[in-house]
Amino acid sequence: MSDPSSDYAKPLPELDGHTEDFYTFCGLGELRFQRCDDCGAWRHVPRELCPECGSWSWQWARSSGRGSVFTWTVVTRALHPAFAESVPYAPTVIELEEGVRLLSEVVDCTPDALEIGMPVEVVFERATPEVALPKFRRVSA
Amino acid sequence: MRDQACIVGIGETEYCRKPGSGMSTLALQLKAAAGAIEEAGLSAASIDGIMPFPNVGKAEELAANLGCENLRYAATIHMGGAAPVASLQAAAAAVVAGMANYVLIPGGWNGYSGPRVRQTVSSDTASIPGGTIARDYYLPFGMTAPPQWYSLMARRHMHEFGTRSEQLGAIAVAMRKHAQQNPRAVMHGRPMTLDDYMASPMLADPYRFFDCCLETDGGSAVVVTTAERARDLPHSPVYIMGGACGQPYPADEITNRRDIFRTGLTIAAPEAFAKAGVTPTDIDFAQIYDCFTFEVLQQLEEVGFCKRGEGGPFVEGGRIELGGELPVNTHGGLLSEAHSLGIGHITEAVRQLRGEAEGRQVANAEIGLVTGWGDFGDGSVAILRR
């Protein structure tokens, strides 16, 4: 992981409740999602109870970090000033092996090289000493 | 409840961009509302129900300015752009149940001259459309606004069904063509070809500039009452045959849907057709909420005008243009008339069904369908008849 950058200028999540836990795990280099203790269903974004079976019992289970590109858009005109220098960039939906999907970005791939189904694995981009963002890089199939 | 409630009055301000309306958001809503009340042949004191647009209007404030001194029903359907059409159903239920006699559905904003999302979000991330999930799980990755959300679905549709940019362009061109027959349309007098569309810059690929709706100033409003009360009013009533609304699942997060094309309208449309006792082939024209071109294509599929995946070929060849099999957005829509929060789709349907649509009148229009689309894919639909 790269050094913590104190001048990270892009918007960060509000660290509160389950969202704080999610990003703090990312800061430790671990991609974890909620997994129901009763029916085993994975879920993202965090929820209080299992929408599949109604159980309140769950844990932060570690994802393999492997998945594939589900869809993306290419932003060529930033609608937030912090991203103005980043265009063109591609907010990308990754479908993890566990079945959950996550909005992220493939860091080692220009937008025009993205393909649906492209295999990727998680990498962490350090934003603050506590927080890292889960991003992805290409892996060979 | 079929045909027991109807729309009896419509009102609109002018729609404009530069230099802006010069009016407050409240004043725009009041002007449109007063117009609708007057057109209905009513006094403000008889309006006893108001359904304001979410986060834009307050019933108390609207009532106090208009003189609605007998207000007893005030409710807002929180479905973003799907709210006005969803409100038609709620207003119909309210008047039929006797909770109100005359319900006003107003809306209006300075979408051009007022603060833009890209400005408000940069100063206050909590104001981001989509709320805390968008703030915490989308914004850090640079996804900040609706065209970016929905283009995720558009690309997936292109991948699964072979939908092409030219087909999205056919929608933009049809709306623009219709605006040439509508003097109120901001794009009146400014025709556009498919080449113009294809040459417009990408904003959120696959969305180009001309895939996106206008940002305009203006207001519009409608009044709903019972069929029985409508008999005493000046205009031919437009009957609400059936209405429904629905939400995708989950509605608060757009990436984790098992079936990403199952939106609110997927649930709502069959209910509305069942209530109305008609089928898609009975519809003479459709007013489809067109925040972006692909949303039109997707809603045409989910309403059932064609099968899912066939929306691309469906919109080609003039089928959705005036004179075609299913004219869509005869006023020019959000893409080429104005963005009046979706209420303009209702007012245009009323004009068509009254036979008042002048150069863009659909011949013998008897039954029309109106949709709303909002937030991460909330949907509403109303089937109207003359």
Side-chain angles (χ1 to χ4, degrees):
Chain A
M1 232 181 284
S2 53
D3 286 332
S5 167
S6 60
D7 57 354
Y8 187 84
K10 290 176 179 167
L12 285 169
E14 287 286 313
L15 296 184
D16 186 32
H18 301 319
T19 294
E20 179 172 12
D21 294 344
F22 175 82
Y23 283 105
T24 302
F25 280 122
C26 290
L28 299 171
E30 298 175 5
L31 182 61
R32 289 180 181 264
F33 298 105
Q34 290 177 309
R35 188 182 64 203
C36 176
D37 286 333
D38 287 301
C39 77
W42 295 71
R43 59 187 193 250
H44 181 71
V45 298
R47 307 289 184 186
E48 294 299 330
L49 67 163
C50 178
E52 298 295 324
C53 76
S55 170
W56 290 78
S57 178
W58 56 273
Q59 58 183 289
W60 285 109
R62 189 158 182 185
S63 162
S64 72
R66 289 191 296 269
S68 60
V69 169
F70 183 75
T71 186
W72 73 93
T73 182
V74 184
V75 178
T76 44
R77 181 177 168 195
L79 297 175
H80 188 289
F83 294 92
E85 304 293 311
S86 304
V87 295
Y89 65 93
T92 301
V93 178
I94 306 297
E95 187 167 83
L96 278 304
E97 284 181 338
E98 294 83 10
V100 294
R101 298 190 198 120
L102 176 71
L103 184 85
S104 181
E105 191 179 2
V106 183
V107 292
D108 64 343
C109 182
T110 57
D112 58 0
L114 286 166
E115 286 177 24
I116 287 176
M118 174 188 281
V120 293
E121 66 182 9
V122 72
V123 292
F124 294 95
E125 184 181 284
R126 177 65 65 181
T128 71
E130 294 80 27
V131 170
L133 299 180
K135 298 205 172 175
F136 290 82
R137 68 182 172 206
R138 285 186 282 190
V139 293
S140 46
Chain B
M1 214 172 68
R2 176 183 159 161
D3 297 341
Q4 291 184 53
C6 41
I7 302 168
V8 292
I10 58 175
E12 279 167 292
T13 68
E14 288 184 359
Y15 298 126
C16 67
R17 295 194 290 186
K18 286 176 185 167
S21 67
M23 298 168 70
S24 68
T25 299
L26 173 63
L28 286 169
Q29 296 181 66
L30 293 170
K31 194 171 177 191
I37 295 165
E38 185 186 353
E39 212 234 14
L42 296 167
S43 68
S46 60
I47 298 293
D48 54 357
I50 301 183
M51 301 195 69
F53 192 87
N55 307 321
V56 167
K58 289 197 184 84
E60 295 87 341
E61 196 172 39
L62 291 158
N65 278 274
L66 289 166
C68 305
E69 58 189 60
N70 301 301
L71 195 70
R72 56 197 177 108
Y73 178 77
T76 291
I77 309 285
H78 286 275
M79 285 193 159
V85 173
S87 298
L88 280 184
Q89 179 193 217
V95 297
V96 169
M99 296 158 70
N101 295 339
Y102 303 95
V103 177
L104 172 71
I105 304 171
W109 63 330
N110 286 315
Y112 180 83
S113 64
R116 306 289 182 91
V117 166
R118 57 181 174 267
Q119 294 156 349
T120 51
V121 171
S122 57
S123 57
D124 175 16
T125 55
S127 74
I128 188 170
T132 56
I133 288 174
R135 180 194 64 194
D136 295 338
Y137 295 97
Y138 303 161
L139 180 59
F141 304 92
M143 190 163 84
T144 53
Q148 300 161 356
W149 308 339
Y150 303 149
S151 58
L152 297 173
M153 285 193 277
R155 179 175 312 282
R156 193 72 203 178
H157 199 275
M158 290 171 149
H159 172 75
E160 290 190 24
F161 304 115
T163 308
R164 292 178 293 112
S165 287
E166 290 80 359
Q167 294 166 333
L168 302 185
I171 295 166
V173 167
M175 303 307 98
R176 187 63 69 90
K177 202 180 259 189
H178 296 167
Q180 305 318 307
Q181 303 298 322
N182 176 9
R184 281 193 328 282
V186 166
M187 287 300 175
H188 182 69
R190 297 180 67 176
M192 181 179 80
T193 66
L194 188 60
D195 286 342
D196 296 332
Y197 165 85
M198 292 300 289
S200 70
M202 284 288 184
L203 298 187
D205 188 347
Y207 282 156
R208 292 172 161 79
F209 183 72
F210 285 137
D211 288 301
C212 303
C213 62
L214 299 169
E215 294 173 295
T216 56
D217 293 1
S220 42
V222 301
V223 175
V224 172
T225 190
T226 58
E228 193 181 343
R229 288 193 173 86
R231 286 193 204 114
D232 303 326
L233 300 177
H235 286 282
S236 301
V238 166
Y239 293 91
I240 300 170
M241 299 180 77
C245 49
Q247 296 201 338
Y249 179 78
D252 62 352
E253 207 276 310
I254 202 167
T255 70
N256 272 284
R257 295 175 186 159
R258 254 179 224 124
D259 170 0
I260 68 160
F261 302 120
R262 181 181 179 270
T263 57
L265 195 58
T266 314
I267 302 166
E271 180 187 330
F273 281 115
K275 284 175 172 169
V278 297
T279 67
T281 55
D282 296 315
I283 303 297
D284 297 313
F285 66 93
Q287 301 290 115
I288 307 290
Y289 192 94
D290 53 331
C291 43
F292 305 94
T293 52
F294 172 70
E295 276 52 60
V296 176
L297 190 155
Q298 185 176 15
Q299 290 177 81
L300 289 169
E301 293 180 352
E302 298 308 306
V303 167
F305 289 120
C306 60
K307 289 190 181 131
R308 188 183 288 179
E310 294 179 357
F314 184 85
V315 300
E316 288 185 308
R319 184 182 276 113
I320 62 167
E321 294 180 9
L322 283 165
E325 190 183 308
L326 181 75
V328 170
N329 295 352
T330 52
H331 57 326
L334 307 181
L335 286 162
S336 279
E337 186 203 47
H339 194 321
S340 67
L341 306 169
I343 301 176
H345 286 64
I346 305 173
T347 57
E348 175 70 2
V350 169
R351 287 198 178 93
Q352 287 287 352
L353 293 170
R354 287 178 179 171
E356 295 174 354
E358 300 181 333
R360 57 186 193 282
Q361 180 65 47
V362 174
N364 305 314
E366 291 184 3
I367 301 178
L369 179 143
V370 190
T371 73
W373 167 285
D375 296 343
F376 288 137
D378 293 353
S380 54
V381 56
I383 299 168
L384 309 174
R385 74 164 177 87
R386 70 182 184 197

